[in-house]
Each structure stands twice: as C-alpha cells, then as structure tokens.
Amino acid sequence: MSFPGAVKIVEVGPRDGLQNEAISVPVEVKIELIDKLTEAGLAVVESGSFVSPKWVPQMAASGEVYRGIHKKPGVAYPVLVPNMQGLDAALEAGVEEIAIFAAASETFTQKNINCSIDESIERYRQVVEKALTENLKIRGYISCVLGCPYEGEVSFDSVADVAVRLLDQGCYEVSLGDTTGVGTPGKARALVEQLVDTVPVSQLAAHFHDTYGQGLANLHAVLQCGIAVIDSSVAGLGGCPYARGATGNVATEDVLYMLDGMQIETGVDMDKLLEAGAYISDFLGREPASKAALALQNRQ
Ligand code: HMG
Ligand code: MG
C-alpha cells in the first residue's frame, strides 16, 4: 500500500459550502472566513462563483468578496465560471484562476447549467480560449462521477470522456465530484483505476461529498491510487443546490486529522483551521459538521 507523501487540500467551503446555505452570508463574513482559511495555511481557497444570481443567489456578491480578500502571496483563489458572462465578470474582478464545471450525467447537466453535456463542453471551449489568452489558470470539475441523483448509475466511460475533453481544452486538473456522496471505496478506487488509463493521475483531484458518511473512506481508497489533491470544506459546509439532499463536502478538519495521522504533509495548521471552522459555524448558529472539529474543540 503506498500513499503520497504530500497532499494539496483545495478548500471549497466558501463556495461549495456557502452556495447552499439558506441564510445569506454577508460579504464581510465571507472575506473573514477566506482570510482565516489562508491563515491556516491552505494554499487554494475557492472564493466564489460567477453564476447567475437567479440560479444561485448566495454567490451573487462574489466579485465584491474577491476584491475584499487580503490576498496572500502564493495562494490561489479560484472562482466558478459557467459561461462567457461569468468569465467577463470574473476578469473584471481581477480573478487569476477559474473553475469550469461539467458533469458526467445528462440530466444533472441540464438541471445544473441548463444545457447538454456536449453543449457545455462547447460553451467551455470559448470560455477556456479567452481565459488562456488572459493568462488564467483553469481547473475543471466533473459532477456525478459515482452516481447521479436523477439517473442513478453513471458510466465510468462517460466520466473518462468528459475528463479527457476538459484536459484537452486546457484545464490543468480535473476534480472528480461525488456530488451526492453516494460512492463507496471500492467504486471510487475502480473509477480512478480506469481513469488513469487515459488521464495522468497527477491531473486528478477528489471532490467527495460526505452525504452517506463515506467521504474519508473514499479518499483513503483513491489516495492509494496516487491522487494527491483533495477538495474539502471547512466545518463540512455545503451541498449542491441542484442535487436535492446532497450535504457538504467531506470536512477539511476530518481530512486534515486523517492526513496528519498518516504523516502526509499538507502545510495546514489544525488549530487555525479549527478557528476558521468555529468562526463560520458560530455565524451560522450551528456546530461544525466535522467529527474531528467537535472532538478537538471539546478536548480544548
Ligand atoms: P440560463 O438561464 O440558461 O442562461 O442559465 P442564459 O444565458 O439564458 O441567461 C439567462 C439570464 O441569466 C440572463 O439574465 C443572463 O444575463 C443571466 P436576464 O436577461 O434574464 O436578466 N446570466 C448570468 N448572470 C450572471 N452571471 C452569469 C450569467 N449567465 C447568464 N454567469 C447558467 C445558464 C449556466 C447561467 C445557469 O444555469 C447557472 O448560473 N447555473 C449555475 C448553477 C450552479 O452554480 N450550481 C452549483 C455549482 S456546481 C456544483 O456545486 C458541483 C461541484 O461542487 C462539483 C460536485 O460536487 O459535483 C462543482
Ligand atoms: Mg461539490
């Protein structure tokens, strides 16, 4: 069994987490959260989403948030972009990295971005071309890689096909989204084992939601396949507004506790991460959805 010596954690709480909150989180609170996360040593913090405010009102002020962040040298603050309109708004805000988001399921793609998979890839081609001329870095997402809330099973071939198309367009990395957390370790591992036939493992990331409590187990399985980039959400915030019942990503505190215990380097400081998680949980008026955070808080 071999594991990577170091893992990059991509913190998605301020985007994937807060996009799904029922109450509106003020710009200042989002900025403070993002600053606390970078203080904790996270080198990538997804800061917002330039999508339609009619579709996802919680992300409406992403430009203001982006402008207000106290940018730390060496830290990336990617934002989601669904189309040219989003790209133009992101460029106006001074964004340096974007994430485009596709899915391996037709129905989810329709529900999430109102087009087919092929149309989404074509739409992104134009977005990526312009983003590259503006020297932006581009990350890609694929949702529903281990199952779809509308279609059920999703074929690994379909995931591989979308992954290759996103990388060919110019994404430096593709993040594999288990959007509703339905995956289990054997399946997560089998998916990655198939993908690495066509895609370098160094260009894959794991973006697992913890809806069924499988998040850490699934991560442990794919770490053994060589995946060394993990998306997670502080305090386990989040879900997806177009996948009913989806809860948050696997919590960053839980991921860090596991990786620290395995002596896998992350550069993230647990105490400071706990502070960030406590800050947003206090604001939302609930306990963090992270077992490690709760246990460590109670010990202190
Ligand atoms: P549409 O309605 O087909 O768009 O939505 P349209 O081009 O026909 O435009 C309709 C209206 O939206 C127009 O306004 C546009 O200006 C406006 P109107 O003339 O009616 O006043 N509009 C925009 N406004 C602001 N920013 C924009 C923008 N684009 C159009 N960028 C669209 C298509 C893609 C825009 C819409 O479906 C959308 O915004 N979807 C986003 C859904 C979303 O954010 N989902 C959550 C993120 S994905 C996720 O969480 C999964 C992930 O975490 C991985 C995983 O877990 O699996 C990444
Ligand atoms: Mg997600």
Side-chain angles (χ1 to χ4, degrees):
M1 222 182 278
S2 109
F3 293 95
V7 159
K8 180 168 79 177
I9 298 181
V10 175
E11 170 59 49
V12 297
R15 192 280 304 172
D16 204 340
L18 299 185
Q19 76 180 6
N20 212 37
E21 282 302 325
I23 62 164
S24 153
V25 178
V27 167
E28 322 73 80
V29 173
K30 290 183 179 176
I31 293 170
E32 181 75 23
L33 172 64
I34 293 167
D35 288 346
K36 284 183 182 301
L37 290 164
T38 56
E39 263 318 295
L42 286 149
V44 188
V45 180
E46 213 169 57
S47 66
S49 191
F50 288 78
V51 296
S52 160
K54 285 185 195 141
W55 286 62
V56 186
Q58 296 88 334
M59 291 288 108
S62 288
E64 243 182 289
V65 172
Y66 189 84
R67 289 189 188 91
I69 299 166
H70 298 93
K71 310 276 181 336
K72 217 174 148 194
V75 173
Y77 299 93
V79 298
L80 258 58
V81 161
N83 54 17
M84 290 302 268
Q85 193 174 334
L87 175 62
D88 289 339
L91 285 168
E92 216 178 288
V95 160
E96 293 176 357
E97 177 166 340
I98 60 167
I100 57 176
F101 50 107
S105 141
E106 281 296 350
T107 315
F108 183 84
T109 308
Q110 283 292 349
K111 301 266 186 198
N112 196 36
I113 49 174
N114 206 19
C115 61
S116 69
I117 295 176
D118 283 348
E119 283 163 350
S120 73
I121 299 291
E122 194 41 46
R123 195 185 275 176
Y124 288 134
R125 182 178 314 287
Q126 297 162 24
V127 171
V128 167
E129 268 171 23
K130 179 160 180 188
L132 289 174
T133 63
E134 300 281 348
N135 291 321
L136 301 193
K137 281 184 77 184
I138 305 149
R139 190 168 198 248
Y141 276 108
I142 308 176
S143 286
C144 303
V145 300
L146 296 173
C148 168
Y150 307 103
E151 294 181 10
E153 285 298 313
V154 168
S155 84
F156 290 175
D157 287 347
S158 161
V159 179
D161 178 57
V162 176
V164 167
R165 290 160 90 183
L166 291 177
L167 291 171
D168 282 352
Q169 282 189 2
C171 291
Y172 70 87
E173 181 174 282
V174 163
S175 182
L176 303 169
D178 183 12
T179 316
T180 48
V182 290
T184 44
K187 192 170 183 184
R189 188 181 177 134
L191 171 67
V192 176
E193 280 173 354
Q194 175 169 328
L195 286 180
V196 296
D197 285 343
T198 40
V199 174
V201 72
S202 59
Q203 290 187 291
L204 293 175
H207 177 106
F208 295 160
H209 285 255
D210 203 24
T211 319
Y212 290 79
Q214 305 296 299
L216 282 186
N218 292 345
L219 286 175
H220 191 268
V222 301
L223 282 169
Q224 291 171 69
C225 305
I227 285 202
V229 182
I230 291 176
D231 299 0
S232 60
S233 176
V234 68
L237 296 173
C240 174
Y242 294 97
R244 209 150 66 89
T247 59
N249 294 84
V250 59
T252 308
E253 297 92 325
D254 294 350
V255 171
L256 184 62
Y257 186 81
M258 179 177 83
L259 296 176
D260 281 350
M262 295 169 74
Q263 274 100 46
I264 295 176
E265 257 323 300
T266 61
V268 182
D269 179 88
M270 180 62 96
D271 288 335
K272 289 187 176 161
L273 179 63
L274 289 172
E275 271 175 42
Y279 171 76
I280 192 62
S281 300
D282 283 350
F283 177 81
L284 296 170
R286 60 169 189 254
E287 296 276 29
S290 157
K291 289 204 166 160
L294 289 174
L296 291 165
Q297 269 171 14
N298 291 337
R299 206 176 56 176
Q300 282 162 358

